[in-house]
Amino acid sequence: MYSITIMCIIIITLSMIMMMLASTISKKSILDREKSSPFECGFDPKSSSRLPFSLHFFLITIIFLIFDVEIALMLPIILILNYTNLMMWSITSIIFIMILLVGLYHEWNQGMLNWSN
């Protein structure tokens, strides 16, 4: 028990030393305005380097991530069929798929799936 505690203390100490060392080595000592500005082929930028953020693209990305996680959650449903009760598996799968379909209907009803906007 004591050896595990000692090892944890040593690991935490070493990681703290490494983080402090990396922090002190990586600090910039000179803040230069030219180095901080965006670089555009050696010339000053003609316009702002910060483009406006597309909220529609962000929403499409979030919907894609949600569907991606849903697929990752649905794959084990098929694999677990051999190990569980068929009735409980059916009820759980139907409830899960119904929740996904209600979410899809809500996104469709709110106009989130309109790609042309």
Side-chain angles (χ1 to χ4, degrees):
M1 182 67 180
Y2 292 114
S3 62
I4 294 174
T5 307
I6 291 173
M7 288 301 291
C8 287
I9 291 172
I10 290 172
I11 290 171
I12 290 172
T13 305
L14 282 177
S15 59
M16 292 297 283
I17 289 171
M18 293 297 287
M19 285 191 291
M20 288 192 302
L21 185 65
S23 175
T24 56
I25 290 174
S26 69
K27 295 225 184 213
K28 292 182 180 179
S29 60
I30 301 172
L31 292 176
D32 190 13
R33 186 180 81 75
E34 293 297 323
K35 288 183 181 178
S36 300
S37 66
F39 184 72
E40 194 171 303
C41 300
F43 300 105
D44 289 332
K46 294 181 180 180
S47 62
S48 174
S49 63
R50 306 283 184 219
L51 298 175
F53 186 71
S54 172
L55 187 61
H56 185 68
F57 178 74
F58 176 73
L59 292 175
I60 290 172
T61 306
I62 294 298
I63 290 171
F64 171 76
L65 287 174
I66 290 171
F67 283 126
D68 192 35
V69 169
E70 290 170 358
I71 299 252
L73 290 173
M74 286 180 74
L75 286 175
I77 289 177
I78 298 168
L79 296 175
I80 210 166
L81 176 62
N82 296 333
Y83 304 111
T84 61
N85 182 4
L86 184 61
M87 185 67 174
M88 287 303 294
W89 180 85
S90 299
I91 292 171
T92 306
S93 299
I94 289 171
I95 290 173
F96 183 71
I97 291 172
M98 288 302 294
I99 291 171
L100 296 182
L101 289 175
V102 167
L104 178 64
Y105 174 74
H106 178 68
E107 289 172 355
W108 184 22
N109 194 22
Q110 294 295 320
M112 296 288 187
L113 300 178
N114 292 337
W115 301 93
S116 61
N117 289 343

